[in-house]
Amino acid sequence: EAGVAQSPRYKIIEKRQSVAFWCNPISGHATLYWYQQILGQGPKLLIQFQNNGVVDDSQLPKDRFSAERLKGVDSTLKIQPAKLEDSAVYLCASSSDQGAGQTQYFGPGTRLLVL
Amino acid sequence: AQSVSQHNHHVILSEAASLELGCNYSYGGTVNLFWYVQYPGQHLQLLLKYFSGDPLVKGIKGFEAEFIKSKFSFNLRKPSVQWSDTAEYFCAVGSNYQLIWGAGTKLIIKP
């Protein structure tokens, strides 16, 4: 079974530029999560999708971050414009269903450096 | 606000030593409890989880964790660590639809 795929693996941009990350979850998984992990901290949920609907985006900085999962499968996360404090690893995870008891399966992450 | 606290950011042990990593959370309701692990160069993956029933749960690679409700704790243990246990360990607590994560503990095992 293929795991969660993410691209790119690394990205370096200058502040005020825009960047987009892509995630393809495990086939059949209805729930998709985007996390931000800043160095020395645990993952912080940015947004959670159930199929193509948003379950939770309460911690997504909506003035600069956006995410979509139009067909209920793969997803993109965009930052526009980027700030220095956005430097982090962006993790995508998926689970077969929603609920805090579900096991989440993670991708390799995208390491973003904003200069 | 709910929070998860992992007591040690870095732990260094010799092979065959016993391990206990602390995890405490602040939430009074029903919770699901997880330990995830990230080995060097690999993805985050589930180590073990607790939903209900026996508060002592066993996971992969000889790890176990004990849920003590009165102490709001879910400590991870292994009686004898190996060099291959070098990794970062995250405790996470789920309630409703959210998973709240601790900051992680980096474990280094000296051969």
Side-chain angles (χ1 to χ4, degrees), chain A residues 8-74:
Chain A
R9 294 294 307 277
Y10 305 92
K11 190 75 178 177
I12 301 174
I13 61 173
E14 298 198 346
K15 60 183 179 183
R16 292 188 288 273
Q17 285 186 323
S18 62
V19 64
F21 312 128
W22 174 83
C23 172
N24 193 34
I26 291 173
S27 177
H29 277 193
T31 312
L32 185 147
Y33 314 80
W34 282 104
Y35 288 93
Q36 180 192 59
Q37 187 177 15
I38 291 171
L39 190 64
Q41 300 180 20
K44 182 183 90 171
L45 181 70
L46 292 176
I47 189 166
Q48 177 181 338
F49 291 97
Q50 178 72 5
N51 297 309
N52 60 353
V54 175
V55 174
D56 183 357
D57 64 357
S58 57
Q59 298 192 90
L60 186 74
K62 297 181 186 64
D63 57 335
R64 298 185 300 107
F65 286 64
S66 64
E68 59 184 15
R69 192 184 185 201
L70 292 175
K71 296 181 181 177
V73 180
D74 57 349

